[in-house]
Amino acid sequence: MYRIAFPNKGRLATDARALFTDAGLDVRVHGDRALTAVLGRGDLFEAIFVRAEDIPEFVADGAAELGVTGWDLVAESGRGVESLLDLEFGRCRLALAVDDECDVRSVADVVPGSRVATAFPRLTSRYFAGSNIPVEIVPVSGAAEIAPHLGIADLIVDLVSTGSTLRVNGLREVATVCESSARLIASSAHIQGTLGGAEPQRALRELVAALQSVIRAKGQRYLMANVPRAALGSVKQVLPGVDGPTVVDILNGGDHVAVHAVVRASDVYRTIADLQALGASGVLVTRIERFVP
Ligand code: AMP
């Protein structure tokens, strides 16, 4: 049995569950307050629900073989865990920010001895040490953006997603300390195979492949259209697909054939217009649940 530590609340928790469900590993909790659950139909994976910030510790200690949590929390923990897969949600950056009125435009402008409020003291210390600027870290457990207004810090290092929290608090982003997103993590010892034989390694590979197929499918669409056979040369330019479009005969289709292809979701708008210009009809676009190239 593989134990996977999941965040117990918040956006990370919701997105992690949705991803595993889409990969065929639905979280079957018994009762609302259960702290563990079975994943999927088999008896291979068990979920435990804990605080996102505790997950690197639990995985490093072997309380769980795997975990899902933000890379910012992994990096801050300094524990011996590694990322097996970028899950591509929970994207944010750990950023250095100052009062809007302040003259600091880059990290080089930070006056030595400045006070920096942050819930990420380890990453912040390392960042300023790397920039050769001695600063005083003011540890806070959250809401660092208030610190400059309270006069307890000159700068902050905090997570930024859209930047609106900084703006409403009259702060300006100056530099990125590190980028983050949710990751599937395992302890370094586990990855090196010292804790498992061939069977667990295979289960791990299959899990990563299943999650990867869902992540890959998210940005793709399956497009079908009927096009004049004579236009196939030009259709190929518009619809490169994975190996070029699949071309299918249509019963009573006359001089038309059906083409099927995987296209990037962001290209669908342009592709449909281009296909119509080539005489396409019956265009159908569907979401893809999983995609294994
Ligand atoms: P925003 O206003 O969108 O820039 O979001 C910033 C606020 O949301 C800060 O208080 C952050 O601590 C928090 N936040 C944003 N993204 C994340 C994330 N991926 N994980 C945890 N907290 C986040």
Side-chain angles (χ1 to χ4, degrees):
M1 169 83 75
Y2 260 77
R3 188 174 278 176
I4 309 180
F6 281 84
N8 57 1
K9 57 177 192 237
R11 188 71 200 272
L12 275 185
T14 315
D15 289 351
R17 272 190 186 211
L19 173 63
F20 274 70
T21 300
D22 289 347
L25 293 169
D26 51 319
V27 178
R28 291 186 293 129
V29 185
H30 303 295
D32 270 0
R33 292 181 53 79
L35 300 177
T36 65
V38 176
L39 275 178
R41 302 290 125 184
D43 55 3
L44 206 48
F45 298 108
E46 181 191 40
I48 59 168
F49 303 103
V50 291
R51 278 160 33 109
E53 44 272 65
D54 292 336
I55 291 177
E57 185 82 28
F58 286 179
V59 170
D61 288 349
E65 282 79 24
L66 301 168
V68 174
T69 195
W71 187 246
D72 51 306
L73 299 172
V74 175
E76 178 62 22
S77 77
R79 300 304 310 253
V81 297
E82 291 175 31
S83 170
L84 292 177
L85 186 63
D86 187 340
L87 304 179
E88 298 189 9
F89 57 82
R91 277 205 185 284
C92 59
R93 55 197 180 275
L94 190 62
L96 173 66
V98 295
D99 193 297
D100 221 357
E101 317 268 282
C102 174
D103 285 340
V104 173
R105 300 277 152 194
S106 78
V107 66
D109 299 333
V110 174
V111 178
S114 295
R115 296 159 306 161
V116 188
T118 185
F120 294 84
R122 183 190 292 261
L123 290 174
T124 302
S125 300
R126 196 191 302 159
Y127 177 73
F128 280 104
S131 306
N132 272 325
I133 301 171
V135 294
E136 183 193 332
I137 305 289
V138 180
V140 293
S141 58
E145 63 273 7
I146 309 284
H149 304 295
L150 298 179
I152 57 168
D154 310 299
L155 310 107
I156 69 163
V157 167
D158 199 6
L159 294 176
V160 179
S161 175
T162 60
S164 71
T165 303
L166 291 185
R167 272 194 299 279
V168 300
N169 284 286
L171 300 168
R172 174 168 41 80
E173 202 171 334
V174 166
T176 299
V177 174
C178 78
E179 304 273 355
S180 180
S181 58
R183 306 292 174 93
L184 178 70
I185 57 166
S187 74
S188 308
H190 202 105
I191 291 173
Q192 284 153 19
T194 52
L195 299 180
E199 220 22 58
Q201 294 290 345
R202 195 179 126 208
L204 196 57
R205 269 203 313 275
E206 288 175 356
L207 172 67
V208 169
L211 295 172
Q212 222 162 11
S213 71
V214 175
I215 295 165
R216 208 182 280 120
K218 277 191 205 299
Q220 310 276 357
R221 296 291 182 269
Y222 196 66
L223 188 147
M224 294 162 268
N226 298 339
V227 298
R229 191 184 290 274
L232 273 180
S234 309
V235 167
K236 235 174 150 172
Q237 308 295 317
V238 174
L239 273 187
V242 181
D243 300 307
T246 302
V247 180
V248 188
D249 280 328
I250 306 170
L251 194 64
N252 303 327
D255 60 355
H256 278 62
V257 288
V259 287
H260 295 195
V262 173
V263 295
R264 270 206 300 267
S266 53
D267 292 345
V268 164
Y269 178 87
R270 185 73 259 142
T271 304
I272 292 178
D274 289 347
L275 286 174
Q276 282 179 315
L278 293 171
S281 60
V283 180
L284 204 67
V285 181
T286 67
R287 289 182 185 276
I288 303 171
E289 284 189 15
R290 294 177 58 168
F291 178 43
V292 182

